[in-house]
Structures are given as C-alpha cells and as structure tokens.
Amino acid sequence: MKKNILFLCTGNSCRSQMAEGFTRALKNDVLAAYSAGVEKHGVNPRAVAVMAEAGVDIAGQTSKLVSELPDVAFDYVVTLCGSAHDLCPFFPGPVKKVHVGFEDPPALAASAATEEEALGHYRRVRDAIREFVAGLPGNLEA
C-alpha cells in the first residue's frame, strides 16, 4: 500500500510543486504525492517550464492550502522552506515530519539579468529536489 507524502512550502507555487511532480514521476509505485502551502500563490510558470525540460508535466497541478486536503492521512510531511517549517500546522496521527530546505528559485531569480540566468536558478533547485526525491522514502527514515 502506498504511503501518503505531503510537500509543504509557503505558497505552494514552486518547490513543493516540483517535489510533487517528481514523486509522481519517480516514486508513484510506493508514494502518493501531494503538495500544499500555508498560502496559495499559484503554480509558478518558470517551475512548469523547467520541469517540462526534465520530462515532468506539472502544468495541471494546482496551488492549494493544507486545509484543502482534510481527508488525507499523511504518513510523511516534508517542509521545503523555513517559513513552512515554522508555520507547519498540526497533523493528527503518526505523521513523520521532516524538514529539507531548498533555496527559493523566485528569490534567487529576482536579480537575474536575463531569462536564461533566471531559469538557471530554477534548474539548479529542480535538480536538487529530483535528487532528494530519488532517495524517497528511505531518506525520510534516516
């Protein structure tokens, strides 16, 4: 039986969306992936673009709040940014919470001189998230 994993980030627009997409693509046999935020910012178009480059389509995913997933019993909750870690809501039951921080691509790209430079920041974070997801669920038990 698949375990339920929630990737939690502030706005559920970029990092958590990437993690959900990679988990669905790489670990769908053992994990049911969800993502949410403590706020809703919409799915970031640059995140969609760099994930498509990696062969994962997240264009159909939506930005949502944790409160929009009330009927899911999560086995794992993974916070991907400091704000989500600090504001992480209470989850009932035997939930394993893990914090794995990744840099914020929109913040990194804010000072980029070109679109290609901006996308480079997204690609770097995307690749780090893919590497983390490739080790799931084992790296959550360490």
Side-chain angles (χ1 to χ4, degrees):
M1 187 166 178
K2 291 184 189 183
K3 295 200 176 217
N4 293 323
I5 186 167
L6 173 66
F7 296 100
L8 187 63
C9 215
T10 302
N12 190 219
S13 66
C14 192
R15 291 167 283 186
S16 53
Q17 295 289 344
M18 289 178 178
E20 177 184 356
F22 274 131
T23 303
R24 289 177 188 263
L26 302 174
K27 297 294 180 168
N28 196 42
D29 57 330
V30 293
L31 294 168
Y34 300 85
S35 68
V38 294
E39 302 170 7
K40 281 190 341 187
H41 294 170
V43 180
N44 184 295
R46 287 176 174 158
V48 172
V50 299
M51 289 297 287
E53 291 174 359
V56 178
D57 181 7
I58 64 168
Q61 292 178 197
T62 59
S63 184
K64 60 204 139 316
L65 300 171
V66 175
S67 61
E68 294 176 58
L69 302 169
D71 299 327
V72 181
F74 293 107
D75 298 288
Y76 304 105
V77 173
V78 182
T79 55
L80 301 175
C81 67
S83 176
H85 178 67
D86 294 342
L87 300 172
C88 188
F90 171 77
F91 290 90
V95 178
K96 177 154 183 137
K97 288 186 190 177
V98 178
H99 176 68
V100 183
F102 292 96
E103 292 180 280
D104 182 25
L108 294 169
S111 62
T114 65
E115 182 64 13
E116 188 59 29
E117 183 183 345
L119 289 172
H121 294 294
Y122 281 79
R123 290 179 185 118
R124 185 171 48 79
V125 175
R126 173 203 65 198
D127 293 346
I129 291 171
R130 177 178 31 209
E131 184 177 328
F132 169 72
V133 167
L136 292 174
N139 57 4
L140 297 174
E141 300 301 334

PDB file of all heavy atoms in Angstrom, residues 76-116:
ATOM      1  N   TYR A  76       3.963  11.075   5.824  1.00  0.00           N
ATOM      2  CA  TYR A  76       5.101  11.984   5.865  1.00  0.00           C
ATOM      3  C   TYR A  76       4.641  13.397   5.508  1.00  0.00           C
ATOM      4  O   TYR A  76       3.840  13.577   4.593  1.00  0.00           O
ATOM      5  CB  TYR A  76       6.177  11.592   4.840  1.00  0.00           C
ATOM      6  CG  TYR A  76       6.692  10.191   4.952  1.00  0.00           C
ATOM      7  CD1 TYR A  76       6.301   9.216   4.042  1.00  0.00           C
ATOM      8  CD2 TYR A  76       7.581   9.830   5.956  1.00  0.00           C
ATOM      9  CE1 TYR A  76       6.775   7.923   4.126  1.00  0.00           C
ATOM     10  CE2 TYR A  76       8.063   8.539   6.051  1.00  0.00           C
ATOM     11  CZ  TYR A  76       7.661   7.588   5.133  1.00  0.00           C
ATOM     12  OH  TYR A  76       8.137   6.303   5.221  1.00  0.00           O
ATOM     13  N   VAL A  77       5.192  14.373   6.214  1.00  0.00           N
ATOM     14  CA  VAL A  77       5.035  15.777   5.848  1.00  0.00           C
ATOM     15  C   VAL A  77       6.446  16.332   5.736  1.00  0.00           C
ATOM     16  O   VAL A  77       7.210  16.300   6.705  1.00  0.00           O
ATOM     17  CB  VAL A  77       4.218  16.571   6.884  1.00  0.00           C
ATOM     18  CG1 VAL A  77       4.221  18.057   6.540  1.00  0.00           C
ATOM     19  CG2 VAL A  77       2.787  16.049   6.958  1.00  0.00           C
ATOM     20  N   VAL A  78       6.788  16.816   4.547  1.00  0.00           N
ATOM     21  CA  VAL A  78       8.129  17.329   4.287  1.00  0.00           C
ATOM     22  C   VAL A  78       8.021  18.826   4.037  1.00  0.00           C
ATOM     23  O   VAL A  78       7.405  19.253   3.059  1.00  0.00           O
ATOM     24  CB  VAL A  78       8.780  16.633   3.079  1.00  0.00           C
ATOM     25  CG1 VAL A  78      10.198  17.164   2.855  1.00  0.00           C
ATOM     26  CG2 VAL A  78       8.795  15.123   3.268  1.00  0.00           C
ATOM     27  N   THR A  79       8.597  19.620   4.933  1.00  0.00           N
ATOM     28  CA  THR A  79       8.636  21.068   4.720  1.00  0.00           C
ATOM     29  C   THR A  79       9.881  21.384   3.900  1.00  0.00           C
ATOM     30  O   THR A  79      10.962  20.853   4.167  1.00  0.00           O
ATOM     31  CB  THR A  79       8.622  21.846   6.051  1.00  0.00           C
ATOM     32  OG1 THR A  79       9.689  21.398   6.880  1.00  0.00           O
ATOM     33  CG2 THR A  79       7.298  21.650   6.773  1.00  0.00           C
ATOM     34  N   LEU A  80       9.711  22.250   2.909  1.00  0.00           N
ATOM     35  CA  LEU A  80      10.787  22.532   1.963  1.00  0.00           C
ATOM     36  C   LEU A  80      11.366  23.930   2.101  1.00  0.00           C
ATOM     37  O   LEU A  80      12.284  24.283   1.377  1.00  0.00           O
ATOM     38  CB  LEU A  80      10.271  22.330   0.532  1.00  0.00           C
ATOM     39  CG  LEU A  80       9.739  20.924   0.231  1.00  0.00           C
ATOM     40  CD1 LEU A  80       9.134  20.879  -1.166  1.00  0.00           C
ATOM     41  CD2 LEU A  80      10.825  19.883   0.380  1.00  0.00           C
ATOM     42  N   CYS A  81      10.810  24.724   3.019  1.00  0.00           N
ATOM     43  CA  CYS A  81      11.347  26.064   3.253  1.00  0.00           C
ATOM     44  C   CYS A  81      11.188  26.394   4.732  1.00  0.00           C
ATOM     45  O   CYS A  81      10.358  25.803   5.424  1.00  0.00           O
ATOM     46  CB  CYS A  81      10.664  27.101   2.368  1.00  0.00           C
ATOM     47  SG  CYS A  81       8.934  27.391   2.741  1.00  0.00           S
ATOM     48  N   GLY A  82      11.981  27.337   5.193  1.00  0.00           N
ATOM     49  CA  GLY A  82      11.965  27.692   6.614  1.00  0.00           C
ATOM     50  C   GLY A  82      10.624  28.210   7.088  1.00  0.00           C
ATOM     51  O   GLY A  82      10.170  27.880   8.186  1.00  0.00           O
ATOM     52  N   SER A  83       9.957  28.996   6.271  1.00  0.00           N
ATOM     53  CA  SER A  83       8.659  29.544   6.659  1.00  0.00           C
ATOM     54  C   SER A  83       7.636  28.436   6.861  1.00  0.00           C
ATOM     55  O   SER A  83       6.896  28.428   7.848  1.00  0.00           O
ATOM     56  CB  SER A  83       8.175  30.529   5.597  1.00  0.00           C
ATOM     57  OG  SER A  83       6.893  31.005   5.913  1.00  0.00           O
ATOM     58  N   ALA A  84       7.583  27.486   5.933  1.00  0.00           N
ATOM     59  CA  ALA A  84       6.639  26.372   6.070  1.00  0.00           C
ATOM     60  C   ALA A  84       6.987  25.535   7.291  1.00  0.00           C
ATOM     61  O   ALA A  84       6.101  25.057   8.000  1.00  0.00           O
ATOM     62  CB  ALA A  84       6.645  25.514   4.807  1.00  0.00           C
ATOM     63  N   HIS A  85       8.273  25.372   7.546  1.00  0.00           N
ATOM     64  CA  HIS A  85       8.701  24.614   8.724  1.00  0.00           C
ATOM     65  C   HIS A  85       8.219  25.306  10.006  1.00  0.00           C
ATOM     66  O   HIS A  85       7.687  24.669  10.905  1.00  0.00           O
ATOM     67  CB  HIS A  85      10.226  24.468   8.725  1.00  0.00           C
ATOM     68  CG  HIS A  85      10.777  23.761   9.909  1.00  0.00           C
ATOM     69  ND1 HIS A  85      10.545  22.430  10.147  1.00  0.00           N
ATOM     70  CD2 HIS A  85      11.539  24.198  10.933  1.00  0.00           C
ATOM     71  CE1 HIS A  85      11.152  22.071  11.277  1.00  0.00           C
ATOM     72  NE2 HIS A  85      11.752  23.135  11.767  1.00  0.00           N
ATOM     73  N   ASP A  86       8.385  26.613  10.055  1.00  0.00           N
ATOM     74  CA  ASP A  86       7.978  27.381  11.236  1.00  0.00           C
ATOM     75  C   ASP A  86       6.467  27.423  11.410  1.00  0.00           C
ATOM     76  O   ASP A  86       5.967  27.449  12.534  1.00  0.00           O
ATOM     77  CB  ASP A  86       8.516  28.814  11.152  1.00  0.00           C
ATOM     78  CG  ASP A  86      10.039  28.873  11.224  1.00  0.00           C
ATOM     79  OD1 ASP A  86      10.665  27.888  11.661  1.00  0.00           O
ATOM     80  OD2 ASP A  86      10.592  29.908  10.816  1.00  0.00           O
ATOM     81  N   LEU A  87       5.735  27.452  10.288  1.00  0.00           N
ATOM     82  CA  LEU A  87       4.279  27.586  10.333  1.00  0.00           C
ATOM     83  C   LEU A  87       3.540  26.273  10.117  1.00  0.00           C
ATOM     84  O   LEU A  87       2.319  26.266   9.989  1.00  0.00           O
ATOM     85  CB  LEU A  87       3.818  28.594   9.273  1.00  0.00           C
ATOM     86  CG  LEU A  87       4.367  30.003   9.416  1.00  0.00           C
ATOM     87  CD1 LEU A  87       4.005  30.852   8.199  1.00  0.00           C
ATOM     88  CD2 LEU A  87       3.855  30.648  10.691  1.00  0.00           C
ATOM     89  N   CYS A  88       4.264  25.166  10.085  1.00  0.00           N
ATOM     90  CA  CYS A  88       3.668  23.865   9.795  1.00  0.00           C
ATOM     91  C   CYS A  88       2.529  23.569  10.766  1.00  0.00           C
ATOM     92  O   CYS A  88       2.714  23.609  11.982  1.00  0.00           O
ATOM     93  CB  CYS A  88       4.723  22.765   9.888  1.00  0.00           C
ATOM     94  SG  CYS A  88       4.124  21.155   9.333  1.00  0.00           S
ATOM     95  N   PRO A  89       1.346  23.295  10.221  1.00  0.00           N
ATOM     96  CA  PRO A  89       0.213  23.006  11.098  1.00  0.00           C
ATOM     97  C   PRO A  89       0.348  21.645  11.770  1.00  0.00           C
ATOM     98  O   PRO A  89       1.184  20.835  11.394  1.00  0.00           O
ATOM     99  CB  PRO A  89      -0.980  23.019  10.133  1.00  0.00           C
ATOM    100  CG  PRO A  89      -0.405  22.727   8.799  1.00  0.00           C
ATOM    101  CD  PRO A  89       0.996  23.262   8.808  1.00  0.00           C
ATOM    102  N   PHE A  90      -0.516  21.406  12.731  1.00  0.00           N
ATOM    103  CA  PHE A  90      -0.555  20.133  13.427  1.00  0.00           C
ATOM    104  C   PHE A  90      -1.225  19.095  12.525  1.00  0.00           C
ATOM    105  O   PHE A  90      -2.242  19.378  11.902  1.00  0.00           O
ATOM    106  CB  PHE A  90      -1.350  20.272  14.734  1.00  0.00           C
ATOM    107  CG  PHE A  90      -1.613  18.957  15.399  1.00  0.00           C
ATOM    108  CD1 PHE A  90      -0.616  18.308  16.102  1.00  0.00           C
ATOM    109  CD2 PHE A  90      -2.860  18.360  15.304  1.00  0.00           C
ATOM    110  CE1 PHE A  90      -0.857  17.080  16.699  1.00  0.00           C
ATOM    111  CE2 PHE A  90      -3.115  17.141  15.899  1.00  0.00           C
ATOM    112  CZ  PHE A  90      -2.109  16.495  16.603  1.00  0.00           C
ATOM    113  N   PHE A  91      -0.642  17.924  12.453  1.00  0.00           N
ATOM    114  CA  PHE A  91      -1.233  16.817  11.720  1.00  0.00           C
ATOM    115  C   PHE A  91      -1.495  15.690  12.712  1.00  0.00           C
ATOM    116  O   PHE A  91      -0.569  15.239  13.397  1.00  0.00           O
ATOM    117  CB  PHE A  91      -0.292  16.319  10.617  1.00  0.00           C
ATOM    118  CG  PHE A  91      -0.143  17.286   9.489  1.00  0.00           C
ATOM    119  CD1 PHE A  91       0.851  18.244   9.510  1.00  0.00           C
ATOM    120  CD2 PHE A  91      -1.003  17.246   8.406  1.00  0.00           C
ATOM    121  CE1 PHE A  91       0.996  19.149   8.470  1.00  0.00           C
ATOM    122  CE2 PHE A  91      -0.878  18.147   7.360  1.00  0.00           C
ATOM    123  CZ  PHE A  91       0.125  19.096   7.396  1.00  0.00           C
ATOM    124  N   PRO A  92      -2.737  15.237  12.815  1.00  0.00           N
ATOM    125  CA  PRO A  92      -3.046  14.176  13.765  1.00  0.00           C
ATOM    126  C   PRO A  92      -2.493  12.833  13.300  1.00  0.00           C
ATOM    127  O   PRO A  92      -2.237  12.626  12.122  1.00  0.00           O
ATOM    128  CB  PRO A  92      -4.583  14.152  13.774  1.00  0.00           C
ATOM    129  CG  PRO A  92      -4.972  14.688  12.439  1.00  0.00           C
ATOM    130  CD  PRO A  92      -3.906  15.678  12.066  1.00  0.00           C
ATOM    131  N   GLY A  93      -2.319  11.941  14.241  1.00  0.00           N
ATOM    132  CA  GLY A  93      -1.865  10.598  13.913  1.00  0.00           C
ATOM    133  C   GLY A  93      -0.362  10.480  13.858  1.00  0.00           C
ATOM    134  O   GLY A  93       0.369  11.416  14.154  1.00  0.00           O
ATOM    135  N   PRO A  94       0.084   9.316  13.434  1.00  0.00           N
ATOM    136  CA  PRO A  94       1.524   9.023  13.414  1.00  0.00           C
ATOM    137  C   PRO A  94       2.218   9.573  12.162  1.00  0.00           C
ATOM    138  O   PRO A  94       2.616   8.836  11.279  1.00  0.00           O
ATOM    139  CB  PRO A  94       1.565   7.505  13.450  1.00  0.00           C
ATOM    140  CG  PRO A  94       0.313   7.100  12.741  1.00  0.00           C
ATOM    141  CD  PRO A  94      -0.714   8.148  13.084  1.00  0.00           C
ATOM    142  N   VAL A  95       2.304  10.879  12.069  1.00  0.00           N
ATOM    143  CA  VAL A  95       2.918  11.545  10.919  1.00  0.00           C
ATOM    144  C   VAL A  95       4.389  11.800  11.213  1.00  0.00           C
ATOM    145  O   VAL A  95       4.738  12.322  12.265  1.00  0.00           O
ATOM    146  CB  VAL A  95       2.225  12.895  10.627  1.00  0.00           C
ATOM    147  CG1 VAL A  95       2.898  13.607   9.474  1.00  0.00           C
ATOM    148  CG2 VAL A  95       0.759  12.687  10.340  1.00  0.00           C
ATOM    149  N   LYS A  96       5.234  11.447  10.267  1.00  0.00           N
ATOM    150  CA  LYS A  96       6.665  11.773  10.405  1.00  0.00           C
ATOM    151  C   LYS A  96       6.897  13.093   9.688  1.00  0.00           C
ATOM    152  O   LYS A  96       6.706  13.197   8.471  1.00  0.00           O
ATOM    153  CB  LYS A  96       7.528  10.677   9.806  1.00  0.00           C
ATOM    154  CG  LYS A  96       9.000  11.049   9.874  1.00  0.00           C
ATOM    155  CD  LYS A  96       9.894   9.864   9.905  1.00  0.00           C
ATOM    156  CE  LYS A  96      11.313  10.357  10.051  1.00  0.00           C
ATOM    157  NZ  LYS A  96      12.087   9.618  10.960  1.00  0.00           N
ATOM    158  N   LYS A  97       7.309  14.128  10.454  1.00  0.00           N
ATOM    159  CA  LYS A  97       7.623  15.431   9.865  1.00  0.00           C
ATOM    160  C   LYS A  97       9.128  15.530   9.651  1.00  0.00           C
ATOM    161  O   LYS A  97       9.910  15.203  10.536  1.00  0.00           O
ATOM    162  CB  LYS A  97       7.189  16.559  10.794  1.00  0.00           C
ATOM    163  CG  LYS A  97       5.701  16.755  10.883  1.00  0.00           C
ATOM    164  CD  LYS A  97       5.432  17.997  11.716  1.00  0.00           C
ATOM    165  CE  LYS A  97       4.001  18.163  12.065  1.00  0.00           C
ATOM    166  NZ  LYS A  97       3.787  19.326  12.923  1.00  0.00           N
ATOM    167  N   VAL A  98       9.485  15.991   8.471  1.00  0.00           N
ATOM    168  CA  VAL A  98      10.895  16.134   8.101  1.00  0.00           C
ATOM    169  C   VAL A  98      11.060  17.495   7.432  1.00  0.00           C
ATOM    170  O   VAL A  98      10.237  17.886   6.601  1.00  0.00           O
ATOM    171  CB  VAL A  98      11.327  15.013   7.123  1.00  0.00           C
ATOM    172  CG1 VAL A  98      12.766  15.190   6.693  1.00  0.00           C
ATOM    173  CG2 VAL A  98      11.104  13.638   7.736  1.00  0.00           C
ATOM    174  N   HIS A  99      12.118  18.204   7.800  1.00  0.00           N
ATOM    175  CA  HIS A  99      12.418  19.467   7.127  1.00  0.00           C
ATOM    176  C   HIS A  99      13.625  19.272   6.223  1.00  0.00           C
ATOM    177  O   HIS A  99      14.683  18.810   6.665  1.00  0.00           O
ATOM    178  CB  HIS A  99      12.699  20.583   8.128  1.00  0.00           C
ATOM    179  CG  HIS A  99      13.098  21.864   7.450  1.00  0.00           C
ATOM    180  ND1 HIS A  99      12.219  22.605   6.683  1.00  0.00           N
ATOM    181  CD2 HIS A  99      14.282  22.505   7.379  1.00  0.00           C
ATOM    182  CE1 HIS A  99      12.847  23.653   6.186  1.00  0.00           C
ATOM    183  NE2 HIS A  99      14.101  23.616   6.596  1.00  0.00           N
ATOM    184  N   VAL A 100      13.444  19.590   4.951  1.00  0.00           N
ATOM    185  CA  VAL A 100      14.526  19.543   3.971  1.00  0.00           C
ATOM    186  C   VAL A 100      14.449  20.855   3.205  1.00  0.00           C
ATOM    187  O   VAL A 100      13.611  21.016   2.314  1.00  0.00           O
ATOM    188  CB  VAL A 100      14.386  18.344   3.004  1.00  0.00           C
ATOM    189  CG1 VAL A 100      15.567  18.295   2.045  1.00  0.00           C
ATOM    190  CG2 VAL A 100      14.253  17.040   3.765  1.00  0.00           C
ATOM    191  N   GLY A 101      15.267  21.806   3.589  1.00  0.00           N
ATOM    192  CA  GLY A 101      15.198  23.130   2.986  1.00  0.00           C
ATOM    193  C   GLY A 101      15.880  23.218   1.636  1.00  0.00           C
ATOM    194  O   GLY A 101      16.971  22.683   1.448  1.00  0.00           O
ATOM    195  N   PHE A 102      15.213  23.862   0.702  1.00  0.00           N
ATOM    196  CA  PHE A 102      15.774  24.169  -0.612  1.00  0.00           C
ATOM    197  C   PHE A 102      15.668  25.670  -0.823  1.00  0.00           C
ATOM    198  O   PHE A 102      14.720  26.306  -0.362  1.00  0.00           O
ATOM    199  CB  PHE A 102      14.992  23.444  -1.723  1.00  0.00           C
ATOM    200  CG  PHE A 102      15.147  21.957  -1.703  1.00  0.00           C
ATOM    201  CD1 PHE A 102      14.202  21.161  -1.074  1.00  0.00           C
ATOM    202  CD2 PHE A 102      16.236  21.342  -2.293  1.00  0.00           C
ATOM    203  CE1 PHE A 102      14.331  19.778  -1.033  1.00  0.00           C
ATOM    204  CE2 PHE A 102      16.387  19.964  -2.259  1.00  0.00           C
ATOM    205  CZ  PHE A 102      15.430  19.183  -1.633  1.00  0.00           C
ATOM    206  N   GLU A 103      16.624  26.224  -1.540  1.00  0.00           N
ATOM    207  CA  GLU A 103      16.594  27.659  -1.834  1.00  0.00           C
ATOM    208  C   GLU A 103      15.347  28.001  -2.645  1.00  0.00           C
ATOM    209  O   GLU A 103      14.795  27.155  -3.346  1.00  0.00           O
ATOM    210  CB  GLU A 103      17.847  28.065  -2.608  1.00  0.00           C
ATOM    211  CG  GLU A 103      19.122  27.972  -1.790  1.00  0.00           C
ATOM    212  CD  GLU A 103      20.327  28.389  -2.599  1.00  0.00           C
ATOM    213  OE1 GLU A 103      20.810  27.564  -3.389  1.00  0.00           O
ATOM    214  OE2 GLU A 103      20.766  29.553  -2.444  1.00  0.00           O
ATOM    215  N   ASP A 104      14.913  29.245  -2.562  1.00  0.00           N
ATOM    216  CA  ASP A 104      13.711  29.717  -3.229  1.00  0.00           C
ATOM    217  C   ASP A 104      14.052  30.232  -4.629  1.00  0.00           C
ATOM    218  O   ASP A 104      14.656  31.302  -4.767  1.00  0.00           O
ATOM    219  CB  ASP A 104      13.079  30.827  -2.388  1.00  0.00           C
ATOM    220  CG  ASP A 104      11.795  31.354  -2.983  1.00  0.00           C
ATOM    221  OD1 ASP A 104      11.125  30.616  -3.735  1.00  0.00           O
ATOM    222  OD2 ASP A 104      11.442  32.510  -2.688  1.00  0.00           O
ATOM    223  N   PRO A 105      13.677  29.503  -5.692  1.00  0.00           N
ATOM    224  CA  PRO A 105      14.027  29.947  -7.048  1.00  0.00           C
ATOM    225  C   PRO A 105      13.546  31.347  -7.395  1.00  0.00           C
ATOM    226  O   PRO A 105      14.322  32.114  -7.984  1.00  0.00           O
ATOM    227  CB  PRO A 105      13.384  28.883  -7.944  1.00  0.00           C
ATOM    228  CG  PRO A 105      13.350  27.666  -7.093  1.00  0.00           C
ATOM    229  CD  PRO A 105      13.047  28.170  -5.702  1.00  0.00           C
ATOM    230  N   PRO A 106      12.306  31.750  -7.073  1.00  0.00           N
ATOM    231  CA  PRO A 106      11.917  33.128  -7.422  1.00  0.00           C
ATOM    232  C   PRO A 106      12.796  34.180  -6.747  1.00  0.00           C
ATOM    233  O   PRO A 106      13.134  35.190  -7.363  1.00  0.00           O
ATOM    234  CB  PRO A 106      10.466  33.221  -6.939  1.00  0.00           C
ATOM    235  CG  PRO A 106       9.970  31.821  -6.987  1.00  0.00           C
ATOM    236  CD  PRO A 106      11.157  30.981  -6.577  1.00  0.00           C
ATOM    237  N   ALA A 107      13.183  33.946  -5.510  1.00  0.00           N
ATOM    238  CA  ALA A 107      14.059  34.900  -4.825  1.00  0.00           C
ATOM    239  C   ALA A 107      15.434  34.925  -5.472  1.00  0.00           C
ATOM    240  O   ALA A 107      16.018  35.997  -5.669  1.00  0.00           O
ATOM    241  CB  ALA A 107      14.170  34.548  -3.344  1.00  0.00           C
ATOM    242  N   LEU A 108      15.948  33.754  -5.830  1.00  0.00           N
ATOM    243  CA  LEU A 108      17.256  33.684  -6.482  1.00  0.00           C
ATOM    244  C   LEU A 108      17.222  34.375  -7.845  1.00  0.00           C
ATOM    245  O   LEU A 108      18.172  35.038  -8.245  1.00  0.00           O
ATOM    246  CB  LEU A 108      17.681  32.222  -6.670  1.00  0.00           C
ATOM    247  CG  LEU A 108      17.960  31.417  -5.406  1.00  0.00           C
ATOM    248  CD1 LEU A 108      18.106  29.942  -5.748  1.00  0.00           C
ATOM    249  CD2 LEU A 108      19.209  31.935  -4.705  1.00  0.00           C
ATOM    250  N   ALA A 109      16.114  34.195  -8.563  1.00  0.00           N
ATOM    251  CA  ALA A 109      15.999  34.728  -9.923  1.00  0.00           C
ATOM    252  C   ALA A 109      15.674  36.212  -9.956  1.00  0.00           C
ATOM    253  O   ALA A 109      15.776  36.841 -11.012  1.00  0.00           O
ATOM    254  CB  ALA A 109      14.933  33.946 -10.685  1.00  0.00           C
ATOM    255  N   ALA A 110      15.302  36.789  -8.834  1.00  0.00           N
ATOM    256  CA  ALA A 110      14.875  38.193  -8.811  1.00  0.00           C
ATOM    257  C   ALA A 110      15.943  39.144  -9.333  1.00  0.00           C
ATOM    258  O   ALA A 110      15.627  40.166  -9.937  1.00  0.00           O
ATOM    259  CB  ALA A 110      14.461  38.593  -7.397  1.00  0.00           C
ATOM    260  N   SER A 111      17.203  38.817  -9.114  1.00  0.00           N
ATOM    261  CA  SER A 111      18.268  39.708  -9.563  1.00  0.00           C
ATOM    262  C   SER A 111      18.921  39.247 -10.861  1.00  0.00           C
ATOM    263  O   SER A 111      19.938  39.802 -11.282  1.00  0.00           O
ATOM    264  CB  SER A 111      19.334  39.832  -8.465  1.00  0.00           C
ATOM    265  OG  SER A 111      19.919  38.559  -8.225  1.00  0.00           O
ATOM    266  N   ALA A 112      18.328  38.258 -11.517  1.00  0.00           N
ATOM    267  CA  ALA A 112      18.905  37.747 -12.760  1.00  0.00           C
ATOM    268  C   ALA A 112      18.827  38.808 -13.857  1.00  0.00           C
ATOM    269  O   ALA A 112      17.831  39.517 -13.980  1.00  0.00           O
ATOM    270  CB  ALA A 112      18.172  36.481 -13.197  1.00  0.00           C
ATOM    271  N   ALA A 113      19.885  38.884 -14.644  1.00  0.00           N
ATOM    272  CA  ALA A 113      19.945  39.870 -15.724  1.00  0.00           C
ATOM    273  C   ALA A 113      19.187  39.414 -16.961  1.00  0.00           C
ATOM    274  O   ALA A 113      18.747  40.238 -17.759  1.00  0.00           O
ATOM    275  CB  ALA A 113      21.404  40.162 -16.083  1.00  0.00           C
ATOM    276  N   THR A 114      19.039  38.088 -17.131  1.00  0.00           N
ATOM    277  CA  THR A 114      18.358  37.550 -18.314  1.00  0.00           C
ATOM    278  C   THR A 114      17.400  36.435 -17.880  1.00  0.00           C
ATOM    279  O   THR A 114      17.522  35.883 -16.781  1.00  0.00           O
ATOM    280  CB  THR A 114      19.368  36.955 -19.313  1.00  0.00           C
ATOM    281  OG1 THR A 114      19.996  35.814 -18.701  1.00  0.00           O
ATOM    282  CG2 THR A 114      20.423  37.974 -19.747  1.00  0.00           C
ATOM    283  N   GLU A 115      16.499  36.099 -18.771  1.00  0.00           N
ATOM    284  CA  GLU A 115      15.572  34.988 -18.507  1.00  0.00           C
ATOM    285  C   GLU A 115      16.352  33.675 -18.372  1.00  0.00           C
ATOM    286  O   GLU A 115      16.035  32.846 -17.529  1.00  0.00           O
ATOM    287  CB  GLU A 115      14.528  34.889 -19.624  1.00  0.00           C
ATOM    288  CG  GLU A 115      13.509  33.797 -19.412  1.00  0.00           C
ATOM    289  CD  GLU A 115      12.620  33.985 -18.187  1.00  0.00           C
ATOM    290  OE1 GLU A 115      12.592  35.086 -17.588  1.00  0.00           O
ATOM    291  OE2 GLU A 115      11.941  33.018 -17.813  1.00  0.00           O
ATOM    292  N   GLU A 116      17.356  33.501 -19.191  1.00  0.00           N
ATOM    293  CA  GLU A 116      18.162  32.273 -19.117  1.00  0.00           C
ATOM    294  C   GLU A 116      18.868  32.162 -17.768  1.00  0.00           C
ATOM    295  O   GLU A 116      18.942  31.084 -17.181  1.00  0.00           O
ATOM    296  CB  GLU A 116      19.177  32.232 -20.270  1.00  0.00           C
ATOM    297  CG  GLU A 116      19.918  30.919 -20.384  1.00  0.00           C
ATOM    298  CD  GLU A 116      19.023  29.692 -20.589  1.00  0.00           C
ATOM    299  OE1 GLU A 116      17.925  29.808 -21.162  1.00  0.00           O
ATOM    300  OE2 GLU A 116      19.437  28.605 -20.152  1.00  0.00           O
TER     301      GLU A 116
END
